[in-house]
Structures are given as structure tokens and as C-alpha cells.
Amino acid sequence: VLFSVLGVHAADPLPSWNAGPAKQAILDFVKSTTSPGSENHVPPAERIAVFDNDGTLWSEQPLYFQALFIFDRIKQLAPQHPEWKAQEPFASVLKGDTKTALAGGEHALIEMAMATHAGTTTEEFHQLAMEWISTARHPETGKLLTEMVYQPMLELLTYLRENGFKTYIVSGGGIEFMRPWTERIYGIPPEQVIGSSIKTKYELREGQPVLARLPEMNFIDDKEGKPVGINQHIGRRPIAAFGNSDGDFQMLEWTTAGDGARLGVYIHHDDAKREYAYDRNSHIGKLARGLDESSERGWIVVSMKNNWKTIYP
Amino acid sequence: VLFSVLGVHAADPLPSWNAGPAKQAILDFVKSTTSPGSENHVPPAERIAVFDNDGTLWSEQPLYFQALFIFDRIKQLAPQHPEWKAQEPFASVLKGDTKTALAGGEHALIEMAMATHAGTTTEEFHQLAMEWISTARHPETGKLLTEMVYQPMLELLTYLRENGFKTYIVSGGGIEFMRPWTERIYGIPPEQVIGSSIKTKYELREGQPVLARLPEMNFIDDKEGKPVGINQHIGRRPIAAFGNSDGDFQMLEWTTAGDGARLGVYIHHDDAKREYAYDRNSHIGKLARGLDESSERGWIVVSMKNNWKTIYP
Ligand SMILES: [Ca+2]
Ligand SMILES: [Ca+2]
């Protein structure tokens, strides 16, 4: 009471999180790894925290937001590709039937990504992604996509950084799709964004050097690929990992298999009213093995419905 | 005089550099990009400086230091590879004839790197590289290899960082060979080291996750590969680049083609007495096109002989 009256108690660093075991586990982990003299103290240089993006930092239903970008690019590029009118999955996109377009699963999505993400320079693509994200809206909520980031996760990113952590995105999404806006939206600079990528080629165009984007996969940053991408980019094992699907399983496994205090967290989409409810049977953000094994592995499962006071800013 | 008497003048941030146009160009660039109100001011987040390693931050003669590591690994692994006694280039290494072993050029070097760098986990390899570098000595000087770093470049790295720059290594050498010691020697953390790499695979061994190193090239970070690697890892164009050979040409070209103030620097090995003298005709660190075009491109050529007071710490 005395502290409270004097205003000496620290402000809650996670005001959008309800009190409970999930919030407490995060606070305890940060205290334990950063307090001087703590037996689990971790030097600042090793305080690496990795975050999946789709479904962990922002929404991903009814379809990955990058798919919306791909569809818009297909419509934009259609005049240069008359053959698309008769060629799936492009034909369905042009008819507005995105469900049929996506029926081919990951293969169709990669085919469309290649056709729409290659053929530009890296600087042109940066510009395209940045301009698109500044006005793109969600098909159901009508909000800007960048307004559909999770307020509790924004607080968590800030809280970790204030405690000396370096925060990274490790996403199956396109690295060059994310980098133009992650600093503005999440405070995460481009060099701390890891994602899937296509190959690029250095060449001169009218005497000016460019990196041309090629229609060839370079790296798929998903499942077993996430620890590979983390090692390639960071060169150290993170001490905290946050995800929402079985695509993050290996990232959490790799992170929490290290020595000392470790934090593995799954965001569980169980809030049909304020966001979406899906897990085992969803073909976007499927979470089955993660739910089955979190308890035995000591990973935290965050209920969006129960643990978060608000969803969006 | 007054300032000097009062001790108000700033200490020279580059005491091992002789006064002259090269040193002045570096000082002017840093002042121009960091002074508030300067028309060339660059926000701290965009102050990215990239450094080649071999021949730019430490010596590379009479052969790349990583080749010494490879030779030592071949000798260490020989009992498990009886076939190497009759198989080049391994046979020559085992006979101590490294000149013949290297006669096959880059192809032979990559073959030996594969055979000796794969087959471990990333953590085992980290340990191997760290232990090796702690005692490895130069065949001619007898110094520890880590003592053959350039004092003027150490000062430059510190000076740039003190002015808000993020310093990166962008080397043709192995990324996982360098990362275990670059923080201790150069103050450059593993996540700021870019290099050539082999593929890794995530798997479980006795229930523990590991990243297994495979005998398959992932990326060659040389020549046109350097801007590609920079884009993949950093996602922004550097504003300053430092190299010593034609393998750095594209990195300097890419860096200095951007808008605003840019700095491209070649270290020229012209000091046979204190280090080595080589350029156009060397098969390690060949510098020909870079010498021919530096002047027209506005790049600085640093003479180790004339511009550096000392070479090693
Ligand atoms: Ca996800
Ligand atoms: Ca070099």
C-alpha cells in the first residue's frame, strides 16, 4: 500500500494481458533472465526472442494476408498475361473466386507467388509492398491490415526490447514482403526479419546495379526450415520463441532445448467473437501437435479469449 | 592552441592512420553522415558498414587462414578416411605439400571444405572452430592468427560503431567458421557476419534437436554474391563498404550506387616489409579491376605502406 500510495510501483508492462499463469510465466522468464545475480541470467547479446508473424503478431484468417497481395498483383499484371484467363489458379483469381484459386494448396500459392513476386528488382518490389500495405484492407473487418496486429503482442515486443532482448520475426511469409513495413508496425528492423525467399541476381541495367528477383525458390522458412533460417541469419539459438501453429513446432523445440531458462509460447486462436477460433482442423494455422505436447514440453499456451483484454490496438 | 591547452580537442579516433587524403575521406564521410543538420545526414538505423574479412580485416597470405583450418581438419579426420592417402587433393595435404593440394584452385578448396566442414552438428563445428582459432599460428610469422588483424581497421570498426554505425562482415569465407570468434576479435556479433555456407538439416538425435551440416553448398558469398548476401541478411543497402580484392568489386559498386554520401574503400597490400605486397598477379586477393576503376568511381585506395602507422596490434 505504501509503495502504491507513493506511486513507486512499476507500471504494468503488459496492460492488455489478464493476470494469470500465462502472463506470469512471461514476466517470470524476463525477470529470471535479466536480473543481475539471477542464476538464469543471460547476457544482453544472447537475449534473442523469435516471433512467427501470421497468426502470432497479426491475424491470418480467412486467408494469409500475403495472399491478398498476391491476388492484387495478379489483377494488376493480368494485362501483360492474357494466357492467365485460361490458366489456373490465375483464372479463378481473375474471376474473383479465390477459394478455387487456393484449392491447389501450398503448390498453387507458391506458383502464384513466383509469378507475381519475381520479375522486379528488389527496390521495385519494396516499393510495391510498401504502397500496397499502406491501403490494403481486410475483406471481413474492413480494417487496414496493419490495424489487425495484436495489441498484447506489441506490448510484449516492447517489453522484451526494454529488457535488452533483440526481437526477430521468423515467418513462412516472404522476407521481402514483410521488411518494408515491420519497422513501422512492430519496431522490428529489416535485418531482424527472417522469412521465405526467392533467388535474386546481381546485374547491371543501364549502368546501374540492381538485384533482379528470379522465379526460383531460395528458402522456405517453415517447420524444420525455421531453425535452419534462425541459424543462418542469427547464428545463435534464441532463448524465447512465440508461434501459433505446428509450423512453429521445430522453432519452439529448438529454442527450448537449449540450456538455462527458456520460453516457448503458443498463441491459441480460441476467440470466435473478437477474432477467429481455429486449431486442429484449420488448413491455415493448423495447431494439433503443438496443443498435444505443450504441457509435457513446458510450453505456455495463451488463450486469446481468456488471457487477452483486447485483441487489436 | 587554446583548445589544445585546455585539453578540449577530441582525441584522434584513428591514431594508427597517417594524416592524408585517405584518412581525411573517412573522417569527412562519418562527419557528413552523422552530424545533425548535415545535408547528407543518415538516420542511425541506416548506418550500415560492410567489411570483407580476408585481406581487409586480417591477413590472407601465403594462403587463406581458413585453408589452414581445413588442412588441420584433414589431418585430424584422416584415420577415418584411409582412402585419402591415394586421393587428391587430400593426399598432398597429408604429405604436407599444401601447394600441390591447392593447385586445383577454388574447386579443390571447396572439395576439401565440404569433406571437413560437413558431418558435424552446428554446435560441434562451432566448438571446433573456436578451439582451433585459440591456438592456430601463422606459418611464417608464428603469431596467433587472431593477432594478425589490422590495428587501423580495429580502430575504424570502433570509430564507426561509436558513431552509430552497425558493422557487418561480408566474406567469402565460411559463415560458421567466422562466427565463433568475430565478436571477441572484432566486436562483431554472429548475427552481423555474412559468409559462404553449406546446407544444414534439422533433425533429432537421441531425442535432442540438432542442425546437421551437409556436404552441399548453400551460398557462395563472393563477387556478385556479396550484394545478394547483403540483401538477404540485412535488407538494406549499406552506405560504406571496405574490401581488398576484385571479389569485393560488386559490393563496393552496389554500396556506392545508392543516393547520398557513400564510401567505397579498397585496402591495397603494398607493404612487403611489414605485411605482403600483391595485387594484379596474385591468385589470393587479386586486385586489378578495382585499382583500374577506383579513381573514376570515387573509391578510396588505402596504401598499407603509406597510410598505416602500424599493421598489427
Ligand atoms: Ca503462423
Ligand atoms: Ca578479401
Side-chain angles (χ1 to χ4, degrees), chain B:
Chain B
V1 172
L2 178 66
F3 284 146
S4 181
V5 167
L6 294 173
V8 176
H9 66 301
D12 182 353
L14 301 175
S16 300
W17 292 68
N18 287 315
K23 179 175 184 172
Q24 199 55 49
I26 294 171
L27 295 171
D28 288 348
F29 170 78
V30 172
K31 191 174 172 199
S32 145
T33 52
T34 61
S35 300
S38 159
E39 65 169 326
N40 287 318
H41 184 266
V42 175
E46 292 167 26
R47 293 181 200 158
I48 307 282
V50 288
F51 292 80
D52 169 60
N53 185 37
D54 300 305
T56 299
L57 296 180
W58 72 353
S59 291
E60 61 180 348
Q61 296 285 2
L63 74 183
Y64 293 129
F65 294 177
Q66 192 174 354
L68 299 170
F69 175 69
I70 289 171
F71 296 157
D72 282 349
R73 287 281 293 153
I74 288 176
K75 289 168 201 157
Q76 202 176 24
L77 293 169
Q80 299 155 49
H81 292 275
E83 75 279 11
W84 283 353
K85 278 188 192 149
Q87 183 189 336
E88 291 296 353
F90 304 95
S92 290
V93 173
L94 295 175
K95 277 181 273 182
D97 179 4
T98 55
K99 199 173 167 187
T100 303
L102 289 172
E106 200 172 321
H107 176 78
L109 202 60
I110 287 179
E111 188 183 352
M112 291 187 281
M114 292 295 183
T116 55
H117 286 41
T120 61
T121 68
T122 51
E123 299 206 329
E124 288 162 355
F125 189 80
H126 177 102
Q127 199 61 28
L128 284 169
M130 200 170 60
E131 284 170 11
W132 183 83
I133 203 81
S134 70
T135 61
R137 290 183 181 272
H138 192 268
E140 294 175 352
T141 66
K143 288 175 187 265
L144 284 175
L145 299 179
T146 51
E147 293 170 338
M148 293 183 69
V149 297
Y150 304 135
Q151 175 63 23
M153 297 305 283
L154 296 181
E155 292 169 7
L156 180 56
L157 287 168
T158 302
Y159 172 55
L160 288 171
R161 289 194 292 259
E162 281 173 353
N163 280 279
F165 281 76
K166 236 176 170 170
T167 52
Y168 281 81
I169 287 173
V170 180
S171 168
I175 191 169
E176 305 223 42
F177 170 72
M178 296 181 283
R179 281 175 162 172
W181 49 268
T182 53
E183 186 146 33
R184 176 169 66 87
I185 303 298
Y186 301 130
I188 297 180
E191 62 268 30
Q192 286 163 227
V193 176
I194 305 171
S196 298
S197 58
I198 58 177
K199 288 197 188 293
T200 63
K201 184 174 180 290
Y202 185 80
E203 60 186 42
L204 295 180
R205 291 189 182 171
E206 294 171 7
Q208 287 300 307
V210 299
L211 288 166
R213 290 168 58 78
L214 308 180
E216 190 184 342
M217 279 311 295
N218 177 59
F219 181 64
I220 296 185
D221 191 47
D222 196 28
K223 302 187 181 77
E224 291 83 1
K226 290 204 173 190
V228 170
I230 287 169
N231 182 60
Q232 182 70 13
H233 283 258
I234 311 179
R236 337 190 192 235
R237 196 193 295 237
I239 62 169
F242 302 82
N244 78 302
S245 82
D246 286 347
D248 302 309
F249 191 92
Q250 289 80 4
M251 177 167 82
L252 268 65
E253 182 177 57
W254 174 244
T255 299
T256 58
D259 295 332
R262 301 278 160 165
L263 183 65
V265 176
Y266 264 126
I267 307 302
H268 187 202
H269 293 263
D270 58 357
D271 193 333
K273 202 168 161 197
R274 297 186 300 172
E275 205 236 9
Y276 297 93
Y278 58 98
D279 47 40
R280 295 179 185 277
N281 300 313
S282 178
H283 60 147
I284 288 180
K286 179 180 171 179
L287 180 64
R289 188 179 175 199
L291 283 180
D292 293 338
E293 299 190 21
S294 277
S295 172
E296 67 187 80
R297 289 173 180 266
W299 300 343
I300 311 300
V301 177
V302 170
S303 159
M304 292 177 73
K305 185 175 170 183
N306 299 318
N307 297 145
W308 287 1
K309 282 184 194 149
T310 53
I311 305 289
Y312 302 124

Side-chain angles (χ1 to χ4, degrees), chain A residues 199-241:
Chain A
K199 288 196 188 294
T200 62
K201 183 174 180 292
Y202 185 80
E203 59 186 42
L204 295 181
R205 291 191 182 170
E206 295 170 7
Q208 287 301 306
V210 300
L211 288 165
R213 291 169 56 80
L214 307 180
E216 190 184 340
M217 280 310 297
N218 177 58
F219 182 64
I220 296 184
D221 191 46
D222 195 29
K223 301 187 182 77
E224 291 83 0
K226 290 204 173 191
V228 171
I230 287 169
N231 182 61
Q232 181 70 14
H233 284 257
I234 310 179
R236 341 189 189 234
R237 196 193 294 239
I239 62 169

